[in-house]
Amino acid sequence: MAERSLDERSLEVLDIPEDLDDEFLSLYFDNKRRSGGGSVVSLERRGKHALVVFEDVETAVRVVSKTHVLQNNTLTVRRKPPKDPGKLLLKGLNPHTSLDYVELYIENVTGMDCETDFILYPSPNKDLVLVHLKNPSGKDFQMLQDEVSKKPLNEAQVTLEQVESTDSILVANLSPALTEDVLELYFGSSRAGGADVLAVHMLANGRAKVSFKDVKSVDCVLQKSHHLEGTDLVVEPYFDFLHDQSSVSAQDEQGTLTDGVQSQTVSPQSPTGSVPEASIRLGHNAATSLTNTTTASAPEPSVQKECVSFISVLDATKHHLLSLSNLLQTFKKGHSKFDVSLAKDGVHVKGPDQIEVERLKNEVLQFLTGVVEDHLTYDKLKAEFLGREDVQKRLSLSLRSVPSTYSVSGCTVTVTSPSRGAAKQAQDLLESQISEFTVPLDKECESVDSEDWSDFLVSLDFCSAKLSDAGGVITAVTLTGMEKDNQEKMVAFLSTPHQKEIVLSMEPGMLKFLQLHHQGLLADMGEVILFPLETGDGLSIQGESNVCQSAAELLSAIIGSVFTKTIVVTKPGISRFLLEEEGVNILAEMTAKFEVYIDMAKVHWEPLEDDVTYPALLSVLMFLIYSVIL
């Protein structure tokens, strides 16, 4: 509760001028007339950012609702970002631990799957890893933290922490023509999520840091795929601890990152595909050596190292299209010395020639940027049919030749293809693979409302059906070539009477009551067959579905109107009387006169056995007589 109160009293201040004194800033937020503020508990300054904690929540609410201009500079004031349940930080790793090892550790500890549940982002020093949970709603942080604390990783005692929500993203794979203004306009547009962009900072190696006014905008942007000016942008959450702050800005490097001879080797473990720090320093040293040595002789030829490049493909649909296409196989056939392989999160390109590696990389990027999506609208029956798992598997085999894939959301079918022509071909193929037919339905037929009808539809191969809104006609959708077979099966089912059994439970003796006093009613139910249950507490009704249901409802109504009562016999001799002839006659008269049934199944009386009782009584009498005589 105290932690929540602290968060509610804390505000972040952004865009603070460098020459603005901390004391002046504190006095400003302490002044209720100028800022709407009040008593400031603490002010922690970090460059152009500051964290201000007020004495009460009301003051913080008042301050954040106002616009703040100080020394002709507009300050951005917002609430302190909350903890992000979808981002967890794994700390204390052995720097030599591979990312595959970390993936396996996270899967074992949490029970999650790397391919579907989380993404890992390592820090430059490899001692930290950010775990990005794709669906954090069902994960209990305390439980995950306890599990991690119990299990070392590569002989290192690691810990798990929550991190505050970030307001920034790192954008990679930018073309040189993209500027800060273009990125600000793009990420502020509805295409990218319509977020309020706070600032854009261009970084080295075709990257940029984009900050938003609201931290909630980050997740909205991350959920989308981004394509700008012919390039697929690679977007990930930005955290300071994931990046080398000494080389963040390309402008701050004084030409080191842009003018030097840089190695283009890209680490396959880097989620952004950025150039490793070691490679940057190597390029800088090489540039310095070339600059300072003006008259040196040509260097001796050295063994050429393998060049590596990585194209991140986080979009699952595009990744699937790459696996369906023959692009990578074509590369392997035409470039035997190069290895182009599809990984779970992108494409690795390796080879001895950097220029050829870049050319192959560009061809992969051209394939990805050429991917198009066409949205088709179908009626509900066809859309649901196309969305069936068995239908999708069958049609996916046909779409491999295009190659294309499709997905269904509501009544919209989205076709994804590597080109506009392939998309049109895929649409024509889908249309040719599905067919519709109708079956007339008699008004008296009630089979389409029964459980048997539902079971029958499930038994049909690749077929979905529904009763038309106007009634009288069943509309069905199936795969082309299967119309006749499914239509014949449907007609046969609707024209065949379907038997049904209903078991009607009742109290013991109730069946006898029905047989005595409703004999005529039971006789009139000739369209159904009535079988008493062997247990005596029910009736089996068998026949056509609708007739069977009507009979069961009628008998249930009669049974519900009948009352039963149990009489306990306590007086001696009553049981014997009721079971003897006179008692039986009296019960029969009552049964007929009052239209009742008296069940004597639980009334028992047995006479004493003659050969045992009389000799015993005679012995007792003789003993008594003999005693009196004596």
Side-chain angles (χ1 to χ4, degrees), residues 171 174 179-185 187 197-203 207-212:
V171 186
L174 298 174
T179 63
E180 293 180 354
D181 291 338
V182 173
L183 289 176
E184 182 175 354
L185 288 173
F187 283 104
V197 178
L198 197 61
V200 178
H201 299 289
M202 302 303 293
L203 310 179
R207 299 178 301 160
K209 176 185 176 184
V210 181
S211 301
F212 301 96

Side-chain angles (χ1 to χ4, degrees), residues 137-188:
S137 58
K139 306 300 177 184
D140 181 77
F141 170 71
Q142 188 62 50
M143 181 185 69
L144 295 178
Q145 189 180 45
D146 292 342
E147 289 295 324
V148 168
S149 65
K150 297 175 184 177
K151 297 184 180 181
L153 173 58
N154 197 15
E155 299 182 355
Q157 188 63 45
V158 293
T159 58
L160 194 67
E161 296 182 1
Q162 285 184 306
V163 295
E164 290 183 355
S165 300
T166 180
D167 64 352
S168 303
I169 59 172
L170 182 70
V171 186
N173 201 32
L174 298 174
S175 66
L178 291 177
T179 63
E180 293 180 354
D181 291 338
V182 173
L183 289 176
E184 182 175 354
L185 288 173
Y186 170 74
F187 283 104

Side-chain angles (χ1 to χ4, degrees), residues 306-414:
E306 183 180 51
C307 301
V308 181
S309 188
F310 177 73
I311 306 103
S312 179
V313 187
L314 299 180
D315 188 301
T317 304
K318 291 184 178 181
H319 190 280
H320 183 54
L321 278 183
L322 268 176
S323 68
L324 294 178
S325 73
N326 59 358
L327 179 66
L328 302 187
Q329 287 76 7
T330 303
F331 288 164
K332 291 179 181 179
K333 291 180 180 179
H335 303 78
S336 58
K337 295 183 179 180
F338 291 81
D339 179 23
V340 184
S341 57
L342 184 64
K344 63 184 178 182
D345 55 351
V347 179
H348 292 282
V349 184
K350 301 177 184 178
D353 186 354
Q354 180 64 43
I355 295 177
E356 190 63 18
V357 166
E358 288 298 321
R359 192 184 71 78
L360 294 175
K361 174 182 176 181
N362 288 334
E363 288 194 32
V364 174
L365 290 174
Q366 286 178 8
F367 177 90
L368 295 173
T369 55
V371 172
V372 297
E373 289 185 351
D374 279 353
H375 304 284
L376 311 174
T377 302
Y378 287 92
D379 59 66
K380 186 177 179 181
L381 181 62
K382 280 188 177 180
E384 289 180 350
F385 176 74
L386 288 171
R388 285 174 46 166
E389 185 177 358
D390 57 339
V391 175
Q392 281 192 308
K393 286 183 178 179
R394 173 65 70 88
L395 295 182
S396 294
L397 296 175
S398 302
L399 291 174
R400 282 179 178 272
S401 60
V402 179
S404 292
T405 184
Y406 78 90
S407 60
V408 181
S409 177
C411 291
T412 301
V413 177
T414 302

Side-chain angles (χ1 to χ4, degrees), residues 230-522:
T231 304
D232 277 318
L233 305 183
V234 180
V235 179
E236 66 176 67
Y238 181 92
F239 291 92
D240 290 341
F241 52 77
L242 291 181
H243 306 282
D244 185 1
Q245 296 304 301
S246 62
S247 59
V248 165
S249 174
Q251 298 175 353
D252 293 342
E253 289 292 332
Q254 300 297 328
T256 300
L257 301 180
T258 56
D259 301 332
V261 181
Q262 300 177 28
S263 167
Q264 296 298 317
T265 304
V266 180
S267 168
Q269 292 183 353
S270 172
T272 63
S274 58
V275 178
E277 182 184 4
S279 299
I280 295 173
R281 287 199 290 266
L282 178 62
H284 177 57
N285 294 336
T288 306
S289 300
L290 290 172
T291 304
N292 296 335
T293 309
T294 57
T295 59
S297 59
E300 295 182 2
S302 57
V303 179
Q304 190 172 19
K305 295 183 178 180
E306 183 180 51
C307 301
V308 181
S309 188
F310 177 73
I311 306 103
S312 179
V313 187
L314 299 180
D315 188 301
T317 304
K318 291 184 178 181
H319 190 280
H320 183 54
L321 278 183
L322 268 176
S323 68
L324 294 178
S325 73
N326 59 358
L327 179 66
L328 302 187
Q329 287 76 7
T330 303
F331 288 164
K332 291 179 181 179
K333 291 180 180 179
H335 303 78
S336 58
K337 295 183 179 180
F338 291 81
D339 179 23
V340 184
S341 57
L342 184 64
K344 63 184 178 182
D345 55 351
V347 179
H348 292 282
V349 184
K350 301 177 184 178
D353 186 354
Q354 180 64 43
I355 295 177
E356 190 63 18
V357 166
E358 288 298 321
R359 192 184 71 78
L360 294 175
K361 174 182 176 181
N362 288 334
E363 288 194 32
V364 174
L365 290 174
Q366 286 178 8
F367 177 90
L368 295 173
T369 55
V371 172
V372 297
E373 289 185 351
D374 279 353
H375 304 284
L376 311 174
T377 302
Y378 287 92
D379 59 66
K380 186 177 179 181
L381 181 62
K382 280 188 177 180
E384 289 180 350
F385 176 74
L386 288 171
R388 285 174 46 166
E389 185 177 358
D390 57 339
V391 175
Q392 281 192 308
K393 286 183 178 179
R394 173 65 70 88
L395 295 182
S396 294
L397 296 175
S398 302
L399 291 174
R400 282 179 178 272
S401 60
V402 179
S404 292
T405 184
Y406 78 90
S407 60
V408 181
S409 177
C411 291
T412 301
V413 177
T414 302
V415 178
T416 307
S417 306
S419 64
R420 186 64 60 185
K424 181 63 170 61
Q425 187 179 351
Q427 293 175 35
D428 294 340
L429 184 60
L430 282 180
E431 290 290 346
S432 67
Q433 290 292 310
I434 58 176
S435 180
E436 184 176 305
F437 65 88
T438 59
V439 175
L441 183 68
D442 294 337
K443 293 182 179 180
E444 297 80 11
C445 184
E446 298 182 5
S447 298
V448 292
D449 296 324
S450 67
E451 294 181 4
D452 292 337
W453 170 253
S454 301
D455 295 338
F456 167 73
L457 288 181
V458 173
S459 70
L460 293 178
D461 292 330
F462 302 103
C463 185
S464 296
K466 72 166 187 176
L467 180 65
S468 65
D469 296 335
V473 175
I474 293 176
T475 303
V477 179
T478 187
L479 294 180
T480 301
M482 303 182 70
E483 306 94 333
K484 184 178 179 181
D485 183 48
N486 284 325
Q487 188 174 21
E488 289 176 351
K489 290 180 179 178
M490 202 171 291
V491 171
F493 176 86
L494 294 173
S495 59
T496 303
H498 296 280
Q499 299 296 312
K500 185 175 183 180
E501 179 186 14
I502 297 178
V503 174
L504 197 61
S505 297
M506 59 186 70
E507 294 184 13
M510 187 66 72
L511 180 60
K512 188 67 176 179
F513 173 82
L514 292 174
Q515 293 171 336
L516 287 173
H517 301 293
H518 294 279
Q519 191 174 25
L521 175 65
L522 297 178

